[in-house]
Each structure stands twice: as C-alpha cells, then as structure tokens.
Amino acid sequence: MKFVSTRRHDGSGEREVYTFEEALLSGYAPDGGLFVPSNIPRIANERLHVLSEMSYPRLAYEILRIFISADEVGDDDLRDIVANSYPVEEFDDNSFVPVKRLGSSGAGGAYIAELFHGPTYCFKDLGMMPVINFLSFFASRANRPTTLLVSTTGDTGPAAVHAVNRASNPLLTILVHYPDGQISDFQRRQLTTIESRFVKVGKSPCSFLRQLLTGHFTSASFEGGGDDMDLPIKETLLENDEAKSGRKFTGINSYNIGRPLAQMVHFVWIYFRVAEQLGIRPGDASRPIDMVIPTGAMGNITALYLTKRLGLPVGFMCAGTNINDITHRVIERGEFHKKSIKRTLSEAINIEVPYNFERVAYYLTNENPHIVRRWMQSMELTQELTLDANWLERLQAEFKSARVDDNEMMQAMRDVISAHGYLLDPHTAVAVSAAEKLGYSIIDGSNADDTKNPIVIIATASPCKFEGAVTATIGIDGWDKWATESFPPRARATINAPESQPLHYPRSAGLSTSERNSKWREKMLNIIEQNF
C-alpha cells in the first residue's frame, strides 16, 4: 500500500506516491495537501464475519495490516506496536470500546459507543497510541531524532503526551500548544502535571527552561482560538530541513494520515458490536447502521468515511457541531466559510476550519486531486468555498448534520440523565441533541421509526474531564453525586498532582496575522533548539 496527496499533480513529473513511513512522518503532504491511501480495498462479507469475532487488538492488527506493507513494518513488529498501543492495564474496560444500548424498545434501537476508557479518558487515545508507537519505531530504526508539534483544543495534547511518555524513546520529543483559557481545568492538568524522566515541566518560565534540558516534553499556551497555531506548525513541517536541524519535525493532529487509519479500527469494532446485538450478519447491505459524531476537525468522521469505503454497511454519517458550525454549514447548504471561533461549553470541537474536510472532498469528487486542489487553494486565499448544487447533493447523500447551542446541549445532558441515569460529557451531549434534531429517538432509547436505521452515538470523552460544563448543567450536587459514584480512580491522581507553568505565546498588539505567525514560529523553533 502506498499513499498519495489529495492535491497531487498527476502526470506532472512530480513525485506522486509515498510509503506509510514517509506519509506518517510528513504530516502534511509536500504540496500542502493531506495524505490518503492510494486505494481502499473492499473487505468481502466472509472476511467481515471472521473479523467480527476478533478481540479489539487483533482487529486493529488486521485493519492496520491492510494499509501498512509488511516490507515497511514486519508482522512481529506490527504485533508489538499493536500490543503496546492497547495495554489492558491502562483501559478501564476489557473490551476497550464497550457499546451499550439505550433503552430496550424499538426494532432499530439506539446505542452509545464509549470511546473514553483509555489512559486520558477520550477517543484520541485509540488513534494516538498507535501513531506514537509507529513514530517511535521509525525513529529508532533510522536513529533519527523526531520532534512532534501539536496544537490541541483539549484532548489531542494529553493523549499525545501520555503516549510519548509511555513510549520512553529518547529520540522522540514533543511540543504541545493549547489556547489559553479554552480547555478544561482537567485537560490543562493532564498537560501540566506529567513528571518523569521523559516529561519535565518547571514551576516558572525560568526553571521551566532549565528543567527541559533533560526532558522530552513541554507545553505552551497561546492567546487566540483553537486553530491559531495550525499555520505556524504547518509552515514548520513543510519547510523542515532535516539535514540542517538534525531532526525530523512531525505533526500528529488529525491531518496526519496515521490518525484516521488507526481510528478506523474503532468504527469497524462498533459496527460489529451493534450488528451482533441486532442479529445482523456482518456486511448485510440491506441493514445499514447510522452513526452520530461530535465533530470538530472532522478526523473521526473522516475515519468513519474511510471505514464505509472498506465495505461496511454504514448508513448516514451524522455530524453534531456546536455553534462553531462550519461542518454543519457545508453539509446543510454547501458553505465551507471560515468564521471566528465563539466560546462554548464543548470547547474541544471549537474549530474554525476542519482540515479533514479536504479528505472528505477527495472522496466526494471520486478521488479527483485537481478539483480538491482548486477548492483548497480557493479556501486558503479567500477563506470561503461554496459547493454547487451537484456536489452538495452528493455530500448530502451520505452525510447529515445539526447545529447545537449550549442550551440545547445542556438539555440533552439532563434528558439522558432523566431517561437513562447516564451522564454524558458536553461533546457527546452535542451528538445526542444533533441526533434528536435529525429525527432519531435517542432520549427514549427506542429509535422506533421504521424509516430510520439503527443509530449509534459516538461518546468521545468521559464527563470527568469537564467538571465546569457538567456542573453548569446539572448543578454542583449532581456533579458531586456522579463524582462520588463514578469518577475514574486514575483521574483523581491528575487532580491532586502539582502543576507546572507552561510557556506562553502572547498575542502582540498591532501585528498582522502573518507577523504574529512568524513570531510564534520563531519562538517555537527557539524552544526546540534550546531544549531538545
């Protein structure tokens, strides 16, 4: 299997295909596009039946083997990477991703898939741990220092930091950025309480720099929206001169192809578990299953789109957005227009421009890189892309969406507690509210409308990460009751640990966006040069 760019110039003489290692280490393709598999083979129904009986780690091996050549990563090495990516002792559920039915009535049924039982209590663990372990494997094999550059709106950073720390590879370092004041207290603590010989964070900016000399992780906050560090990071990745710097820079946000590939595994698993509960033979195209996903950068819904192309009978792929609703606007009326971020109680999906829409566009256009290149270049120049009626119709044939404000999100959280005694995190509550708006019966758990497919809500994070949003919804007494009965024991250590002070990227007055990006990029490179 090889990988190609969504913007490649077929027949131009430019390089068109890349290995998995090259695609993974590059993050972005050299032409600014995103990597995708050169082809996605369909899995025969007989094979789906065999896969459906496998454990989660074994299934992960089989799905990843489809896309990663044995010439690049041998069978034994891949088994080791998978084993290290899903350590039983770091997951709170032995099935890794439990799928539970909401309610008991109705022919179709409503289900919730819990993707948050990993070490940092969010779905990012399921994609990040394999990606970090692949990067560690390649860094060791090439004896090449590799620094990971990350911008996080809350969950990517902690998942990446934990995975890098667990890999314990002196060749692998990471610099994580988060928007100041726009992630939850718990998420911040997950970044600022790590202490080990691979994770050193001081108590003040001065001691912070001194202690980093022996560490392999640091974090920095910046003033601005969740997307504001993306361009400085992208420019650094595309302009990386490995021979000059002596190290490889790699981005591991969901534009990195490793993320959606690894996240395909949980969607295959979820499909099998729902099919099993409904008595559906895997691959039965007459009985598709719909899924609703809290959607920010579109990495998870892109992974679902890739999964569908493997041949699994996924019906509608539904995006639940908050008021930062660019994904909803493009699905509802074809308007992929950038707007400024507004604060919400579901901060992790506050996104101005979801980079994975480029991958959706690639498959929407039947893998036409010329159309995608024109669309994305137009978007980069004007901050707007408008799909015509033909493309919008094609998009709506497979995708649905709904926009959910904070009041609607909070009402969904309260309704599910009342109906099922089940506490959602704010992002999963966005998905539930979106599903209700799209006509699925989630609150009563029936989804009994014969015109609707079975529906799965993708629960992306544990409520333990969002005390502020949950307390604002159900009150301090409600939070205290849940925390007393259900708060994950491992998470308490994070709350009680002392914090270190992150570096800070100020937004200097009077600077243009380009000038600010340049200053932030310079600061980022200085941190790396001085400390890694």
Side-chain angles (χ1 to χ4, degrees), residues 216-404:
H216 293 271
F217 157 75
T218 188
S219 63
S221 63
F222 59 91
E223 295 178 11
D227 294 15
D228 284 355
M229 274 303 300
D230 288 347
L231 188 56
I233 288 176
K234 183 174 184 177
E235 290 174 347
T236 302
L237 298 179
L238 293 176
E239 297 176 18
N240 179 210
D241 185 343
E242 188 176 340
K244 182 179 179 180
S245 66
R247 69 179 57 248
K248 180 69 177 179
F249 293 132
T250 300
I252 53 172
N253 286 82
S254 61
Y255 51 76
N256 188 304
I257 185 59
R259 290 277 302 282
L261 289 184
Q263 287 167 209
M264 290 174 70
V265 178
H266 60 244
F267 286 114
V268 177
W269 174 267
I270 290 165
Y271 168 81
F272 286 152
R273 300 291 74 80
V274 174
E276 182 179 59
Q277 294 185 51
L278 289 172
I280 298 173
R281 184 169 179 81
D284 185 348
S286 69
R287 301 185 69 183
I289 296 169
D290 297 349
M291 301 192 193
V292 186
I293 303 174
T295 302
M298 297 186 73
N300 225 11
I301 205 165
T302 296
L304 179 57
Y305 200 14
L306 296 176
T307 302
K308 184 174 183 177
R309 297 181 75 84
L310 278 176
L312 273 77
V314 174
F316 280 106
M317 296 167 283
C318 308
T321 76
N322 59 26
I323 60 173
N324 299 295
D325 61 348
I326 185 170
T327 299
H328 170 61
R329 284 182 278 118
V330 72
I331 294 173
E332 182 184 60
R333 52 186 186 268
E335 295 177 359
F336 195 64
H337 298 178
K338 180 178 179 178
K339 292 185 178 180
S340 297
I341 283 179
K342 298 178 181 178
R343 297 294 302 275
T344 71
L345 292 175
S346 51
E347 300 275 21
I349 54 174
N350 286 355
I351 297 294
E352 287 179 320
V353 180
Y355 16 68
N356 277 286
F357 178 71
E358 182 161 343
R359 288 189 174 110
V360 172
Y362 179 76
Y363 292 109
L364 179 70
T365 61
N366 296 318
E367 304 181 25
N368 189 319
H370 310 294
I371 295 176
V372 174
R373 185 170 63 253
R374 185 174 72 247
W375 283 358
M376 294 301 106
Q377 288 175 346
S378 173
M379 181 65 188
E380 289 168 356
L381 287 172
T382 67
Q383 307 301 299
E384 291 188 359
L385 168 67
T386 303
L387 303 182
D388 65 27
N390 174 57
W391 294 119
L392 180 58
E393 182 179 2
R394 292 192 189 189
L395 186 65
Q396 291 176 342
E398 297 190 274
F399 292 88
K400 292 182 179 182
S401 68
R403 176 187 190 270
V404 175

Side-chain angles (χ1 to χ4, degrees), residues 460-483:
T460 51
S462 166
C464 77
K465 305 185 77 167
F466 306 102
E467 179 179 357
V470 174
T471 300
T473 304
I474 63 173
I476 187 64
D477 290 343
W479 168 263
D480 286 344
K481 180 177 186 298
W482 179 85

Side-chain angles (χ1 to χ4, degrees), residues 61 65 68-81 137 141:
Y61 172 89
R65 181 84 290 170
I68 303 168
S69 167
D71 293 336
E72 287 196 77
V73 182
D75 290 346
D76 289 343
D77 289 326
L78 183 57
R79 290 189 187 95
D80 288 343
I81 288 169
F137 170 79
R141 187 167 70 179

Side-chain angles (χ1 to χ4, degrees), residues 165-179:
N165 184 43
R166 193 175 192 281
S168 299
N169 186 341
L171 293 170
L172 199 61
T173 57
I174 183 169
L175 175 59
V176 177
H177 307 82
Y178 66 89

Side-chain angles (χ1 to χ4, degrees), residues 436-501:
E436 289 282 338
K437 287 187 171 188
L438 293 171
Y440 300 98
S441 298
I442 305 299
I443 305 303
D444 68 13
S446 68
N447 195 36
D449 186 343
D450 291 338
T451 67
K452 291 285 191 298
N453 298 327
I455 184 69
V456 186
I457 300 296
I458 305 302
T460 51
S462 166
C464 77
K465 305 185 77 167
F466 306 102
E467 179 179 357
V470 174
T471 300
T473 304
I474 63 173
I476 187 64
D477 290 343
W479 168 263
D480 286 344
K481 180 177 186 298
W482 179 85
T484 299
E485 297 172 353
S486 304
F487 202 89
R490 287 184 294 110
R492 295 192 185 279
T494 299
I495 291 177
N496 296 328
E499 288 191 83
S500 299
Q501 180 67 36

